[in-house]
Amino acid sequence: MSPSPGPLPSGPLYPGYFADPFVLLEGGVYYAYGTGLHGEAGTRAFEVLSSPDLVHWTPHGGVLEPLSAQRMDYWAPEVARQGETFYLYYSVGDGDQGHHLRVATAAHPLGPFVDLGVNLTPDEPFAIDAHPFLAPDGTWWLYFARDDLGSGRPGTVLAVAPLHNMTRLGEIRTILRASGDWQRYEQGRAMYGGVYDWHTLEGPFVLWRDGQFHLLYSGGAWINETYGVGYAVAPHPLGPWTEPVPGAHVLRTAGPLLGPGHASVTTLGGQDILVFHAWDAHHTHRQLHAAALSWEEGRPMARPRSS
């Protein structure tokens, strides 16, 4: 059950670096997982915070046992529960190169999570931002972002695959490609031996609302104010996915929010809450934020409080 609602802060929920946030509500406690710790110096990767109300947060350090003593880059954790086991999905690579999706398990949301030794995307040159989704019919799906050069707007696109036994992917299908200039990451980007007008869609998160599937995603360049959250809808987890409103309709740079994105959704007293990161005022680190998510004529829109 979701705790009773209270006013959410207009600013960051946590003062530290906390990118790509995902919030799991388990046993009346919110657990937030984010990019920031990379298993350096024998520590665990992925910081986790806990909260009774989405306002007051307690840090617990890292939750994932690193793959090796060598420093690697651990990105965008998400956790799903199946039975009595918690599954953590994430990517790992070197900087922004060679990322693949992996899965780790634990008996408790605070971990420690131990990697199962499975590369979920061995045939992908780059795969990030895994999002496990349980459909109303009981099937599991894994949404993620991958690189694809096969369109008029080459770059990072969104894909999905059936998730079998929580540890194995079925056939991977691309479900959404860049459709507008707002999704441009960089002009003249050198990638895969060529130079491209690179576009980016990433950070997928799926909801089932009012008889259809809603896909929230981030587009643009996470490093600047172009970053924002758009959405698409579909009758089935595989699609076809269409965008009723083009652009960063759900959340975009406005007021003190700079480059908000990589969102997930939880609930507070029956209200959908969008959890996301945004840059601090000095543009030095990304921080954890939350805002009410309203549905206007069936369309999701975040309502951050004014400071």
Side-chain angles (χ1 to χ4, degrees):
M1 180 179 295
S2 173
S4 299
L8 293 171
S10 59
L13 304 179
Y14 179 65
Y17 187 99
F18 207 87
D20 311 326
F22 169 79
V23 171
L24 172 74
L25 177 58
E26 177 67 30
V29 177
Y30 295 97
Y31 298 93
Y33 306 83
T35 300
L37 299 180
H38 299 281
E40 302 96 334
T43 62
R44 293 177 181 144
F46 298 131
E47 185 166 14
V48 61
L49 316 173
S50 67
S51 172
D53 54 13
L54 291 180
V55 176
H56 305 93
W57 293 90
T58 300
H60 298 278
V63 294
L64 173 67
E65 295 290 351
L67 296 181
S68 70
Q70 178 184 359
R71 197 237 190 239
M72 305 176 76
D73 290 275
Y74 295 82
W75 288 2
E78 285 206 19
V79 175
R81 179 177 179 175
Q82 173 72 333
E84 298 303 311
T85 302
F86 295 88
Y87 294 83
L88 185 150
Y89 298 87
Y90 67 99
S91 77
V92 62
D94 182 10
D96 63 355
Q97 302 295 313
H99 275 257
H100 289 273
L101 302 183
R102 302 185 67 89
V103 58
T105 58
H108 190 275
L110 293 179
F113 285 87
V114 178
D115 188 87
L116 295 180
V118 178
N119 181 347
L120 296 173
T121 55
D123 298 325
E124 298 289 332
F126 183 81
I128 60 172
D129 298 353
H131 166 58
F133 173 70
L134 178 61
D137 65 0
T139 57
W140 281 94
W141 303 83
L142 194 71
Y143 293 82
F144 62 97
R146 64 172 176 171
D147 285 354
D148 188 334
L149 306 180
S151 75
R153 296 181 185 269
T156 304
V157 304
L158 300 182
V160 69
L163 181 57
H164 302 304
N165 299 322
M166 307 302 285
T167 61
R168 182 171 55 85
L169 296 187
E171 180 185 356
I172 297 171
R173 298 187 187 182
T174 293
I175 57 168
L176 200 64
R177 301 177 184 271
S179 59
D181 290 344
W182 78 275
Q183 298 155 331
R184 182 185 294 115
Y185 179 86
E186 182 183 359
Q187 288 182 307
R189 189 182 189 192
M191 296 290 289
Y192 303 109
V195 177
Y196 301 94
D197 189 7
W198 195 265
H199 293 69
T200 292
L201 277 62
E202 61 188 13
F205 192 91
V206 176
L207 298 161
W208 170 256
R209 293 289 186 276
D210 298 325
Q212 64 181 345
F213 297 92
H214 296 258
L215 168 66
L216 307 182
Y217 72 90
S218 295
W222 65 270
I223 56 176
N224 61 41
E225 71 282 352
T226 67
Y227 206 53
V229 179
Y231 84 104
V233 296
H236 187 274
L238 290 173
W241 290 94
T242 59
E243 296 181 90
V245 181
H249 173 76
V250 180
L251 183 66
R252 68 187 72 187
T253 293
L257 286 180
L258 177 62
H262 202 112
S264 62
V265 177
T266 187
T267 59
L268 181 65
Q271 166 72 57
D272 284 329
I273 303 295
L274 191 75
V275 179
F276 57 95
H277 72 230
W279 286 101
D280 68 323
H282 302 289
H283 205 282
T284 57
H285 59 287
R286 292 172 288 172
Q287 295 178 292
L288 176 66
H289 290 255
L293 184 69
S294 63
W295 295 84
E296 302 177 4
E297 298 180 353
R299 299 171 180 174
M301 179 176 291
R303 295 294 188 186
R305 289 184 62 207
S306 300
S307 53

